[in-house]
Amino acid sequence: MSEKSLHLRLGIFTSLFALFLVLFAIPTFVFAPSNVGNIILSPLFWPYVLAGLTGVIGLGLLASAFKPGANVPFEDEEGTAHPERAAPWLRLAALGVIMVLVMFGLPRLGMVWTAMLAFAACAFLFRTRHPIVALVCAVIVPLLLYAFFAHVAGVAIPQGNFVRLP
Amino acid sequence: MSLMDSLAAGLSLVGNVEAFFMLFCGLVIGVIGGAIPGLSATMAVALTLPFTFSMAPINGILLLLGVYKGGIFGGSIPAILIKTPGTPASSATILDGHPMAERGEAGRALGMALYASCTADAVSNLSLILFAGWLASFALNFGPPEFFALILFSLTIIAGVSGESLLRGALSALAGLLLATVGLDLVYGTNRFTFGDPNMMGGLNFIAVLIGLFAIPEIIAMAWNPVAHLGRTRALGKSKCTLADYLGSFKSIIRGSMIGVFLGSIPGIGAAPSAFLSYSEARRTSKNKANFGKGEIEGVAASEAGNNGVAGATLIPLLALGVPGDVITAIIIGAFMVHGLQPGPMMFILNVDIIYGLFIGLIVSSVFLLLVGSVAIRGFKFVADVPKRILMPGVLVLCIYGVYAVNNNIFDVGVMFVMGWVGYIMMRNRIPAAPFLIAFILGPLLEDNFRQSMLMSGSDPLILFRGPITWFFWLLTAITVFAITRSTLRKRVPLS
C-alpha cells in the first residue's frame, strides 16, 4: 500500500463521515435546549466545530494523496497477499465471534467460566504449540483473577446462572 | 506548609514497607512488560491500572510509576538482544545495541543501557522535584481562558508529533475529541450521542477506551498473524560494562538526560523523539563518530539516557498543570481520577502529602531500577520464552476483568471490544492511537474551559487573549504550528 492509496481511502471516508455528522448525526443525536440564545454556548457548537475540522482533515488527506511522490509503497509494509490467503480473515472473524460470545456469556455463565472458555478458544485460535499448558492456564488465570478482584478488591464479579463460586 | 512539613507529610505516607513493595513490584512488572515485544510499557501500565483500585492512592500510583519506569528500561533488552524494541522509545537503542550483541557484547550493551537509564532517571526525578512545585504555584493564577490556551497548545503539539503523518495524527486526535463529546452536555445536561442508553450518559469509560485502544489491537493482530513475534535471541556474552565505559559516555548520558527532561516536560513529545535527538547529538559531538551505527557503546548510553530522561519529566505537566506529558501519563491520570484526585496546581495545596510521597518514591525508584534491571538482564531468556500465543489470551482475560472492575458494568467490556477493533483498524491504516487517547482526555477539559470562558465574558472571544499567560500559550501554539508546517513541507521536497 502506498501513501496515495491510504490517504485517498482515509480522505474519502473522513469527508463522508464529516458530512454524515453535519447532516444527520449531530441534528439527530445532539439535543440543545430551545432557549439557548448564543450558538457558542449551545451543546451543538462543539460537535459542529469538530465535524467541520474533520471535514478539513478529510480534504487535506485527499489533497495529500495527489502530492508528488505519494505513490511510493511504505517501506515496512507487509505484502498485500498474505501467505495463508483467507485464513487470517477467518481468524479475525472467529475472534470477533469470541468477543460477541463473551458479551453474551458474561451475564449468563458468569465471568470466570466465560473467561476460561475465551482463554482456551483464543489459545487454539492462535494455534498454540503448548495446548496442555494453554488449558491449564485457561483454568488457573481466570480463577486467580477472580480471587483477587472478588476477595481482595471487593468487586462483585458476575457469577452467572449455573455454577457459583465462593 | 514549609518544605520540611511537606516532606514529613510525604514520608508519613510512603514510609512503610507496603509503599516501597508496590514500587518494587511495579518496576518488576514494567521491566517484564517492556521486555516482551508487543506488550509494551503502555500496555503494561494499562493492564496494571485495574489492580490499583483497591489500594491506597499513593501505593497504586507508585505501582503504576514503577511499571512506567521499568517498562521504559525493559524495552531496551529485546532491542539489544533480538533487534525488536520492547517500546517505541527503545528504537534508537537498536542502532548500536544490536550490532554490539552480534559481536558478542550484549552484556556490555545491556549494562550500559541500565546505568544510563538509572542516571537519566535520577536526573529526571530531580528536575521533577525542582520544577513541578514552581510551575504549579505559577499555574494557580490560571483561569478558564489560560487553561483553554494551554490545552489547545498541548493538543497542537500532540497532533504534530504523532508519527509519520501529521494528517493521520490530527485525524486520530479529532476522533478522540469527537468521542469525548458522548454523554451529557457539560452546561445544559442534554444528551449528546447517547442514543437513549443510560450507560452512555456519563460518557464512555476512559479505562475501557484506553485498554481497548492499546491492548486489544495486539490480541487482534495476533489473530491476523500468530507467528509474527518469532525471532532469534542473542546470548549475553562475557563482556561487561566497566566504570571506564560509563565514565567515557558520561557526557552523553548527562546531555541525553537533559534532552529527555526538556522534551519530556513539553506535553505530547514523549520518549522516542528524545532518544533519537540524544543519539544524534551524541553522534555529532563524539570522538568515535564513525563507529555510531556499528556498535558504539556511547550510542547505547545516549539513546537510553534520552528515553529515560523523559520518565520523570513527563510528570511535571501532569502534576503541575493536570495535562498528561505522554500517553502513559495519560493512563496514570486515570489512576488519580479513580482515587478521587485531580492532578493540577490545586493538588499541591490539597494533597501535598501525596505529591511529596510520590517524590520520595520516585527517588527510591532509581535505586530499585538498578537492582531490578541487573536481574532482568540475566533473566531475559525466561521472559523471551513466555509463549506469546498463551500470553495474549491471558491479556484478553485480564482486560475483561480489569475493565469490568472499574464500574462493575458489562457495558464497559463491550466498549473495550469495540474500541479494540477501532484501534486495530487504526493500526492497519497507520493512524497512531496515542493522539486519540490524549485528545479523548483533553477534549472535555478543552470544551469545559472554552465554555466557562464564554460564560465569564458574555461570549466575547477576546477573553481567550486576556493576558500575558494566554499570549504566551497562543505564541507557543503558533510557533508549533509553524514548525510542524515547515517540517511537513520540507519532508515533501525530496519526494518531488
Side-chain angles (χ1 to χ4, degrees):
Chain A
M1 185 168 50
S2 65
E3 190 176 78
K4 179 176 182 168
S5 60
L6 176 64
H7 281 201
L8 199 61
R9 204 166 56 190
L10 286 176
I12 291 169
F13 173 78
T14 307
S15 305
L16 290 176
F17 183 64
L19 278 177
F20 168 77
L21 283 173
V22 172
L23 299 177
F24 178 73
I26 296 174
T28 312
F29 299 117
V30 180
F31 299 97
S34 54
N35 61 348
V36 181
N38 195 328
I39 179 69
I40 289 181
L41 292 174
S42 166
L44 290 163
F45 177 72
W46 202 246
Y48 273 124
V49 168
L50 296 178
L53 288 173
T54 306
V56 171
I57 294 294
L59 293 176
L61 284 163
L62 282 175
S64 70
F66 296 102
K67 75 180 184 195
N71 218 358
V72 181
F74 290 112
E75 284 173 11
D76 55 345
E77 192 69 25
E78 281 181 31
T80 46
H82 197 285
E84 294 177 289
R85 294 188 181 177
W89 293 104
L90 290 175
R91 280 196 299 271
L92 283 188
L95 187 60
V97 170
I98 289 172
M99 289 180 182
V100 172
L101 290 177
V102 165
M103 291 304 295
F104 185 76
L106 281 176
R108 292 166 182 83
L109 290 176
M111 188 167 278
V112 177
W113 309 111
T114 308
M116 283 180 184
L117 293 172
F119 191 118
C122 284
F124 288 103
L125 182 70
F126 300 156
R127 297 180 304 180
T128 178
R129 287 183 295 188
H130 310 87
I132 306 292
V133 179
L135 282 177
V136 172
C137 289
V139 173
I140 290 174
V141 171
L143 281 176
L144 285 177
L145 288 171
Y146 170 77
F148 175 81
F149 281 106
H151 296 290
V152 180
V155 176
I157 297 291
Q159 289 272 21
N161 304 327
F162 304 104
V163 185
R164 299 182 73 82
L165 291 167
Chain B
M1 199 183 257
S2 72
L3 178 68
M4 289 311 292
D5 291 339
S6 303
L7 272 175
L11 201 58
S12 70
L13 266 187
V14 295
N16 56 69
V17 177
E18 198 183 348
F20 289 115
F21 178 71
M22 286 303 157
L23 182 63
F24 190 83
C25 286
L27 283 162
V28 173
I29 295 166
V31 170
I32 293 172
I36 298 175
L39 206 57
S40 84
T42 310
M43 208 206 287
V45 174
L47 293 177
T48 310
L49 179 58
F51 290 96
T52 67
F53 297 161
S54 59
M55 294 177 188
I58 187 77
N59 294 347
I61 295 165
L62 282 176
L63 178 74
L64 292 177
L65 289 177
V67 178
Y68 177 23
K69 285 170 178 287
I72 296 281
F73 164 70
S76 67
I77 303 176
I80 291 169
L81 293 181
I82 57 175
K83 207 181 177 185
T84 305
T87 62
S90 307
S91 306
T93 310
I94 289 179
L95 299 174
D96 283 293
H98 191 67
M100 284 182 75
E102 286 189 321
R103 282 203 311 249
E105 293 180 349
R108 189 167 166 238
L110 285 166
M112 177 54 84
L114 177 63
Y115 301 143
S117 298
C118 292
T119 310
D121 190 50
V123 170
S124 193
N125 291 337
L126 281 175
S127 67
L128 167 70
I129 294 165
L130 287 175
F131 296 122
W134 172 79
L135 188 59
S137 59
F138 173 65
L140 280 172
N141 301 320
F142 286 19
E146 286 77 17
F147 271 113
F148 174 79
L150 165 69
I151 295 164
L152 192 69
F153 162 64
S154 307
L155 278 175
T156 319
I157 215 159
I158 287 162
V161 293
S162 53
E164 56 192 18
S165 164
L166 168 64
L167 281 168
R168 296 201 295 274
L171 177 63
S172 176
L174 268 172
L177 288 172
L178 270 168
L179 200 71
T181 60
V182 172
L184 294 182
D185 178 64
L186 300 165
V187 176
Y188 291 101
T190 55
N191 287 317
R192 292 201 301 196
F193 301 117
T194 59
F195 310 106
D197 188 338
N199 284 308
M200 295 178 76
M201 286 182 179
L204 296 178
N205 182 272
F206 160 72
I207 292 165
V209 172
L210 87 87
I211 292 185
L213 272 180
F214 287 94
I216 302 295
E218 297 297 334
I219 298 166
I220 301 174
M222 170 72 67
W224 178 258
N225 189 357
V227 292
H229 60 285
L230 299 177
R232 194 158 63 104
T233 308
R234 297 277 170 185
L236 282 183
K238 287 185 179 170
S239 64
K240 287 183 178 173
C241 179
T242 61
L243 184 63
D245 285 333
Y246 179 74
L247 292 176
S249 305
F250 190 69
K251 206 171 141 189
S252 287
I253 293 173
I254 295 298
R255 190 195 304 109
S257 308
M258 296 297 182
I259 289 171
V261 167
F262 180 69
L263 294 186
S265 58
I266 301 171
I269 291 190
S274 167
F276 278 104
L277 182 60
S278 169
Y279 180 83
S280 66
E281 276 302 300
R283 186 173 56 183
R284 194 175 62 81
T285 55
S286 174
K287 286 181 290 188
N288 305 324
K289 200 184 290 187
N291 288 341
F292 274 70
K294 298 172 190 163
E296 169 60 45
I297 197 163
E298 198 179 342
V300 176
S303 53
E304 280 301 301
N307 70 35
N308 279 274
V310 166
T314 48
L315 297 171
I316 297 175
L318 174 79
L319 293 177
L321 305 172
V323 173
D326 64 1
V327 70
I328 300 183
T329 44
I331 299 170
I332 293 173
I333 271 194
F336 279 90
M337 290 172 176
V338 164
H339 290 290
L341 302 167
Q342 181 62 50
M346 287 306 288
M347 204 176 161
F348 280 75
I349 295 170
L350 300 174
N351 306 101
V352 73
D353 51 346
I354 291 183
I355 294 283
Y356 277 83
L358 287 178
F359 288 168
I360 294 166
L362 286 170
I363 292 169
V364 176
S365 73
S366 302
V367 182
F368 280 1
L369 180 60
L370 192 63
L371 298 174
V372 174
S374 308
V375 177
I377 289 171
R378 285 160 188 79
F380 176 73
K381 183 82 181 77
F382 304 106
V383 175
D385 285 345
V386 174
K388 283 281 292 290
R389 286 176 275 187
I390 291 179
L391 182 70
M392 283 301 167
V395 168
L396 177 70
V397 170
L398 184 53
C399 292
I400 295 171
Y401 274 85
V403 166
Y404 174 81
V406 182
N407 287 329
N408 292 4
N409 191 350
I410 291 174
F411 178 81
D412 289 343
V413 180
V415 171
M416 174 188 76
F417 284 149
V418 171
M419 289 312 300
W421 286 97
V422 171
Y424 182 68
I425 291 167
M426 287 169 66
M427 186 199 278
R428 289 293 296 266
N429 287 291
R430 308 173 81 94
I431 301 171
F436 186 111
L437 182 70
I438 296 177
F440 182 73
I441 294 167
L442 294 181
L445 290 175
L446 188 73
E447 185 185 2
D448 198 18
N449 283 296
F450 173 76
R451 290 173 78 180
Q452 278 189 38
S453 306
M454 291 301 112
L455 283 169
M456 282 165 60
S457 67
S459 304
D460 181 2
L462 285 179
I463 195 174
L464 300 175
F465 306 89
R466 73 173 176 180
I469 299 172
T470 54
W471 300 341
F472 174 71
F473 287 122
W474 280 110
L475 182 69
L476 283 181
T477 307
I479 291 171
T480 311
V481 169
F482 174 73
I484 292 167
T485 312
R486 200 176 65 161
S487 76
T488 308
L489 291 175
R490 275 188 181 174
K491 262 190 222 166
R492 286 185 188 181
V493 171
L495 291 171
S496 53

